[in-house]
Amino acid sequence: MRLQTIFGLIIVTAAVSACGQNRNAEPSATPLNVDGGRSDERELNDPNRSTIWDVFNTADAEQVTNVNRYLWAASLDVLNFLPVQEVDPFTGVIVTGYGTPPGGGRQYRATVHISDPALAARSLSVALQTSGGAPVSAATTRAIEDAILSRARQLRIADNKL
């Protein structure tokens, strides 16, 4: 058993030492580029280079936004007449399809972006589009944002009573 352990350690040591650089070796005859650098050095210093170890680098992971749950629920409540196409609770985006509001004649679609965990107007961004391509007035967009903010405050007050 002891002989097998020693033999295994020798193999592991040889494998690890083979991975090291030979700093005393003569430089290879790699041709120089126009800028005077060797092509292998330029490849190693390339910022867009990726390796297998990039999987473990969490610094470059997608950014996740904390989304205010009251704004999220209020957005879905207020825009419940629109069919939901895409939702991404990690980035705070809700995309709807075209739908007609109750008592309205035009079809709208909305994109809601909740960018902050605070229950504030700066956290909410609503973009409206009509099916005919006509511009949506700023007053209509502001009214939708106000309705969402009011509903979010109502949900928060109702939640605090529990």
Side-chain angles (χ1 to χ4, degrees):
M1 180 71 172
R2 183 171 169 90
L3 182 63
Q4 291 174 344
T5 305
I6 293 173
F7 186 67
L9 287 174
I10 290 172
I11 290 176
V12 169
T13 305
V16 170
S17 65
C19 295
Q21 289 182 337
N22 187 1
R23 295 176 192 231
N24 296 330
E26 292 293 321
S28 64
T30 306
L32 296 177
N33 291 328
V34 177
D35 62 353
R38 293 189 350 210
S39 62
D40 57 347
E41 288 176 4
R42 193 174 78 187
E43 182 180 328
L44 289 174
N45 294 329
D46 184 15
N48 296 326
R49 183 178 79 106
S50 63
T51 64
I52 189 72
W53 304 111
D54 291 342
V55 173
F56 303 108
N57 187 4
T58 58
D60 295 335
E62 289 185 26
Q63 183 176 0
V64 177
T65 304
N66 291 330
V67 176
N68 186 295
R69 68 180 181 150
Y70 301 114
L71 285 174
W72 184 266
S75 298
L76 293 173
D77 274 356
V78 169
L79 299 173
N80 66 354
F81 63 91
L82 299 174
V84 176
Q85 284 185 338
E86 296 178 30
V87 293
D88 188 0
F90 300 107
T91 59
V93 176
I94 301 171
V95 179
T96 67
Y98 287 103
T100 306
R106 269 191 186 162
Q107 286 193 334
Y108 293 96
R109 78 181 275 195
T111 302
V112 179
H113 182 226
I114 303 167
S115 61
D116 198 83
L119 180 54
R122 65 178 160 75
S123 303
L124 180 67
S125 175
V126 177
L128 293 174
Q129 180 182 9
T130 62
S131 61
V136 177
S137 69
T140 304
T141 304
R142 197 171 317 113
I144 296 291
E145 287 177 349
D146 290 343
I148 291 171
L149 288 167
S150 296
R151 181 66 183 142
R153 287 183 190 105
Q154 290 171 356
L155 290 172
R156 187 186 69 188
I157 290 168
D159 196 27
N160 285 339
K161 288 183 181 178
L162 292 177

